[in-house]
Amino acid sequence: MRAYETVLKSIETDLRSGKIKIGDQLPGERALAETHGISRASVRDAIRILDAMGMVRTSAGSGPNSGAVVISEPAIGLSATLRLHVASRQLSVADIVESRILLETWAASSADLSSDPVRSDTVLRQTADLLTTMDDPGLDREEFHDLDAQFHVLLSSLAGNAVIEAMMESLRLSISDYVSESVTSDDAWQNISQVLRTQHHSIHQAVAAGDGASAATLLREHIEWFYTESRQL
Amino acid sequence: MRAYETVLKSIETDLRSGKIKIGDQLPGERALAETHGISRASVRDAIRILDAMGMVRTSAGSGPNSGAVVISEPAIGLSATLRLHVASRQLSVADIVESRILLETWAASSADLSSDPVRSDTVLRQTADLLTTMDDPGLDREEFHDLDAQFHVLLSSLAGNAVIEAMMESLRLSISDYVSESVTSDDAWQNISQVLRTQHHSIHQAVAAGDGASAATLLREHIEWFYTESRQL
């Protein structure tokens, strides 16, 4: 086992036992190095890896509030990993798209609005607000993609499976550059974004009406359509 | 952007353009540090992260064959990330199990033996051999879990989606400790492994017969059964 793996293993054990919780600050570099009998450089390796995995947020400086705080953003770590494996061509964009369809249609079919009506209402109101913002034709394209991603992730959260939600978000993030690069002309983008808006509204209506089967079909068509369009450009 | 992110970004760009390929050796620490105008410590950070993501294999020493070689083992990186987020309780074991069922039943239903009959035959022969080895009642338990994982991953490869395969393997790896710890007595394990053997053979038969729907049903029952059993022990 490499020195930094000792630290990762021990942090995993402490998380499992509840000794460390989300929001806690990890002990300083020197303390961790002493506890594990390893160099401070190896401790830094471990912290960097935790950072890349979306498990800690580090801040600069050396004051009492510096150091690594435990967070949990699984999609950050998963998408960073997927991006590189897609870049190396071991994972294809087509396989990513097919996986996204599988996860999103499952989420749409499994959405259960009645299990937590207050939460469902909030999500449906937030997603409706996102669509209203996206209806603005003057919206910057970067911002559109951002709100679009939020819309999909929020809707899929109605299925109540945080793993599917994180995987879905990570799949989307891992190919976001391919997607933006593929649509290069402004005119093409205006036409495409108009279709995306219409599709989003229909998906939203189906989910709000509790019609998971229709929502799943519309989502599949929506994802496949955009993927085909961007490959043709 | 942190210094190590510059290196990750540039390696991603080089992978996408084909300038770096799987099997290539990365430039040495000193060269990378000079190219990017950053410290050797930051280069080391980047290499460690790539290692944790299953993107490079590093070897010790400083000879001409030392240094990081580009590989692509997505499941290594994905499972390392998932493990920690499961440990922090942001992702639950129940959600992981539900996701595994979704991916494995999809793979079983989508297996297409006729698209590449030679490859399908090879996979079905390899999985049959795995089951024969697992039929040995004297088999060490650790080894059983290992062969069991290989069986599931190989079978799911028949669907031809490397992303689903990697996610499935990573889900399994991320909760492997929970699974082994939950069955503690030898007697309980003897009984459980006997049922697992029978279930594996039935799943294999259904896949070999091209009956994806039955294979999917049997897989769902198999995964749910084992999860329920291990929670009760």
Side-chain angles (χ1 to χ4, degrees):
Chain A
M1 208 192 269
R2 296 169 195 280
Y4 71 84
E5 289 179 287
T6 318
V7 183
L8 292 182
K9 196 76 211 146
S10 120
I11 287 174
E12 187 186 331
T13 307
D14 288 351
L15 283 167
R16 279 173 76 169
S17 71
K19 207 172 139 190
I20 303 179
K21 294 178 304 298
I22 311 271
D24 285 356
Q25 201 169 334
L26 290 184
E29 256 175 48
R30 185 195 303 239
L32 283 172
E34 277 170 16
T35 309
H36 297 290
I38 59 175
S39 70
R40 287 180 68 160
S42 294
V43 170
R44 260 193 301 271
D45 284 344
I47 304 290
R48 294 282 193 230
I49 290 171
L50 290 169
D51 186 42
M53 284 177 173
M55 275 306 309
V56 302
R57 189 181 49 234
T58 55
S59 53
S62 55
N65 295 320
S66 71
V69 174
V70 179
I71 60 167
S72 181
E73 303 273 5
I76 291 181
L78 296 176
S79 61
T81 304
L82 283 171
R83 280 182 75 92
L84 280 157
H85 292 285
V86 169
S88 77
R89 321 248 165 103
Q90 284 308 101
L91 300 181
S92 73
V93 176
D95 282 0
I96 295 259
V97 171
E98 186 175 47
S99 310
R100 218 193 117 189
I101 291 173
L102 172 65
L103 301 183
E104 291 209 44
T105 56
W106 176 86
S109 313
S110 312
D112 180 3
L113 305 182
S114 58
S115 71
D116 184 347
V118 178
R119 156 109 182 108
S120 306
D121 270 1
T122 311
V123 169
L124 289 170
R125 211 163 335 111
Q126 286 170 331
T127 43
D129 287 348
L130 287 169
L131 295 186
T132 307
T133 314
M134 289 161 84
D135 279 343
D136 175 1
L139 193 71
D140 165 49
R141 190 171 156 190
E142 201 68 31
E143 219 172 335
F144 186 97
H145 282 310
D146 219 54
L147 298 171
D148 186 339
Q150 283 178 46
F151 171 75
H152 282 266
V153 171
L154 258 173
L155 266 199
S156 79
S157 75
L158 291 170
N161 184 316
V163 174
I164 303 275
E165 204 182 316
M167 290 197 304
M168 205 206 91
E169 193 178 354
S170 69
L171 291 174
R172 199 189 169 85
L173 290 171
S174 71
I175 55 167
S176 62
D177 286 356
Y178 291 78
V179 168
S180 340
E181 283 166 15
S182 60
V183 184
T184 43
S185 95
D186 265 354
D187 272 1
W189 172 244
Q190 285 305 327
N191 293 330
I192 285 178
S193 60
Q194 201 41 54
V195 177
L196 294 178
R197 284 186 185 96
T198 313
Q199 292 173 335
H200 281 160
H201 279 287
S202 311
I203 293 164
H204 190 266
Q205 269 162 28
V207 173
D211 186 353
S214 299
T217 306
L218 292 167
L219 266 167
R220 174 186 295 276
E221 286 167 3
H222 168 63
I223 299 171
E224 280 172 352
W225 177 82
F226 182 61
Y227 178 55
T228 311
E229 279 300 305
S230 27
R231 273 197 311 175
Q232 282 166 352
L233 289 162
Chain B
M1 207 191 269
R2 296 169 196 279
Y4 71 86
E5 289 179 289
T6 319
V7 183
L8 292 182
K9 197 74 211 147
S10 121
I11 287 175
E12 186 185 332
T13 307
D14 289 350
L15 284 168
R16 279 172 76 168
S17 72
K19 208 172 138 191
I20 303 179
K21 295 178 302 300
I22 310 271
D24 284 357
Q25 200 168 333
L26 290 184
E29 255 175 48
R30 185 195 305 240
L32 284 172
E34 277 170 16
T35 309
H36 298 289
I38 58 174
S39 70
R40 288 181 67 164
S42 293
V43 171
R44 260 195 300 273
D45 284 344
I47 304 289
R48 293 280 193 233
I49 289 171
L50 289 169
D51 187 43
M53 283 177 173
M55 275 306 309
V56 303
R57 191 183 44 236
T58 55
S59 53
S62 54
N65 295 318
S66 73
V69 174
V70 179
I71 59 168
S72 181
E73 303 272 5
I76 290 181
L78 297 177
S79 62
T81 304
L82 283 171
R83 280 183 75 92
L84 279 157
H85 292 286
V86 169
S88 77
R89 321 246 166 103
Q90 285 308 100
L91 301 180
S92 73
V93 175
D95 283 0
I96 295 260
V97 171
E98 187 175 46
S99 310
R100 218 191 118 190
I101 291 173
L102 171 64
L103 302 183
E104 291 208 44
T105 55
W106 176 86
S109 313
S110 311
D112 180 3
L113 305 182
S114 58
S115 71
D116 185 348
V118 178
R119 156 108 180 108
S120 305
D121 270 1
T122 311
V123 169
L124 289 170
R125 212 165 332 111
Q126 286 170 332
T127 42
D129 286 349
L130 287 170
L131 294 186
T132 307
T133 315
M134 288 161 84
D135 279 343
D136 176 0
L139 193 72
D140 165 45
R141 190 172 155 190
E142 202 68 30
E143 219 171 335
F144 186 97
H145 282 310
D146 221 53
L147 299 170
D148 187 338
Q150 284 179 44
F151 171 76
H152 282 267
V153 172
L154 259 172
L155 266 199
S156 79
S157 75
L158 291 170
N161 185 315
V163 174
I164 303 275
E165 204 181 316
M167 289 198 302
M168 204 206 91
E169 191 178 355
S170 69
L171 290 174
R172 200 188 168 86
L173 290 171
S174 72
I175 55 166
S176 63
D177 287 355
Y178 290 79
V179 167
S180 341
E181 283 166 15
S182 59
V183 185
T184 43
S185 96
D186 266 353
D187 272 1
W189 172 245
Q190 284 307 327
N191 293 330
I192 285 177
S193 60
Q194 201 41 52
V195 177
L196 295 177
R197 285 185 184 98
T198 313
Q199 291 173 334
H200 282 160
H201 280 286
S202 310
I203 293 165
H204 190 265
Q205 270 162 28
V207 174
D211 186 353
S214 298
T217 308
L218 291 167
L219 267 167
R220 174 186 294 276
E221 287 169 3
H222 168 63
I223 299 170
E224 280 173 351
W225 178 83
F226 182 60
Y227 178 55
T228 312
E229 279 298 307
S230 27
R231 273 199 310 176
Q232 282 166 352
L233 289 162

